[in-house]
């Protein structure tokens, strides 16, 4: 979130949102929950996007001084888009643990090439693996036309085979429902040693599909998130295929 967003962001009784023009809901510690059902957005394909940029202090070397000392610096962007490995050596991946109503459990993620299926179980599909935080980022689709088959989801982000660097990235997960405002979750909390982050849970509660902000950083990988949320999957060391790297 930029300096200007912080100045002008409005608030409501149920959630924090952007301006009317931005048509977005921001899930925060204070307002962590939104119902897709009540928003009229629990149908069609829900698009979940991960994007990230590097902080300028990490690329340019050192924090900029106060804009009171140099007022023109406040107009420079806080972050720089990371496109090439020469600029940054961080690979954030988007994943989703799922539990279906028939008891089936599993994971959709780039690691191990578990890309899922959209029109058959688990009704979750990963579109690809973005290595350098490009504008398009990584995207998972959830087919909410089969929401009665989905019990719960855990959307998470992890750092693949690199030095922990959540404190050096400006990461954002955005949900784009088929109807209604987009839902934004920022991962701006500093957790320099963390390798994984539980971003949101989505649960089918008596037919109502509810999104809850988590943003819990852990020092391990998927197995630690599994234990934290009681998924009960078996985990082993995995690798990306050459096509995904």
């Amino acid at each position: 979130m930029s300096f200007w967003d912080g100045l002008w962001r409005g608030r409501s009784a149920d959630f924090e949102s952007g301006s009317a023009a931005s048509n977005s809901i921001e899930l925060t510690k204070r307002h962590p929950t939104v119902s897709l059902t009540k928003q009229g957005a629990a149908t069609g394909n829900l698009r979940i996007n991960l994007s990230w940029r590097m902080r300028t202090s990490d690329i340019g070397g050192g924090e900029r001084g106060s804009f009171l000392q140099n007022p023109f610096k406040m107009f420079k962007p806080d972050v720089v888009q990371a496109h090439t490995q020469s600029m940054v050596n961080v690979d954030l991946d988007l994943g989703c643990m799922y539990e279906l109503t028939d008891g089936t459990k599993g994971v959709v993620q780039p690691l191990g090439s578990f890309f899922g299926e959209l029109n058959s179980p688990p009704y979750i599909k990963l579109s690809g693996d973005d290595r350098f935080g490009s504008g398009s980022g990584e995207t998972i689709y959830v087919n909410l036309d089969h929401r009665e088959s989905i019990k719960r989801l855990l959307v998470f982000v992890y750092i693949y085979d690199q030095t922990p660097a959540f404190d050096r990235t400006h990461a954002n997960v955005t949900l784009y429902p088929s109807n209604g405002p987009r839902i934004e979750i920022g991962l701006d909390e500093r957790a320099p040693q963390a390798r994984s982050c539980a971003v949101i849970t989505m649960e089918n509660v008596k037919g109502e599909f509810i999104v809850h902000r988590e943003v819990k950083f852990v020092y391990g990988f998927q197995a630690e998130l599994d234990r934290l949320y009681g998924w009960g999957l078996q985990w082993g060391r995995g690798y990306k295929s050459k096509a995904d790297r």
Side-chain angles (χ1 to χ4, degrees), residues 95-234:
C96 179
M97 294 183 205
Y98 60 83
E99 181 178 359
L100 305 183
T101 52
D102 66 1
T104 303
K105 296 180 182 180
V107 65
V108 171
Q109 63 179 22
L111 195 61
S113 298
F114 295 111
F115 292 108
E117 295 291 341
L118 190 61
N119 296 311
S120 59
Y123 307 109
I124 304 163
K125 178 74 173 179
L126 177 66
S127 68
D129 178 19
D130 173 22
R131 294 299 306 277
F132 308 118
S134 68
S136 59
E138 293 187 13
T139 300
I140 285 177
Y141 294 90
V142 181
N143 188 343
L144 293 180
D145 288 338
H146 293 272
R147 62 191 177 280
E148 71 281 354
S149 298
I150 300 172
K151 181 178 180 180
R152 61 173 179 155
L153 306 176
L154 170 63
V155 176
F156 61 92
V157 174
Y158 63 97
I159 297 175
Y160 173 73
D161 201 26
Q162 301 288 350
T163 302
F166 275 112
D167 64 323
R168 295 192 287 121
T169 60
H170 177 87
N172 195 67
V173 172
T174 305
L175 280 62
Y176 297 90
S178 60
N179 182 54
R182 67 182 183 269
I183 301 166
E184 298 181 346
I185 306 96
L187 309 184
D188 287 335
E189 297 176 20
R190 293 301 181 99
Q193 298 303 315
R195 290 186 177 274
S196 306
C197 178
V199 181
I200 59 166
T201 52
M202 300 174 62
E203 293 189 84
N204 188 340
V205 182
K206 297 180 179 179
E208 183 177 1
F209 226 72
I210 297 174
V211 178
H212 184 82
R213 177 189 184 273
E214 300 291 336
V215 190
K216 293 181 180 178
F217 291 91
V218 300
Y219 298 110
F221 291 99
Q222 292 91 322
E224 188 169 345
L225 292 174
D226 185 314
R227 288 191 294 271
L228 185 63
Y229 288 90
W231 232 265
L233 299 176
Q234 297 296 318

Side-chain angles (χ1 to χ4, degrees), residues 4 15 17 79 81 93 98 120 149 157 186:
W4 297 112
F15 49 76
S17 65
V79 290
Q81 193 76 27
D93 281 342
Y98 60 83
S120 59
S149 298
V157 174

Side-chain angles (χ1 to χ4, degrees), residues 44-73:
N45 291 333
L46 171 67
R47 180 162 59 98
I48 304 173
N49 178 258
L50 164 68
S51 60
W52 74 93
R53 296 169 291 175
M54 296 304 297
R55 301 178 189 276
T56 50
S57 58
D58 184 60
I59 297 174
E63 296 285 348
R64 295 194 305 270
S66 166
F67 71 84
L68 294 178
Q69 296 174 331
N70 190 340
F72 294 102
K73 286 187 176 183

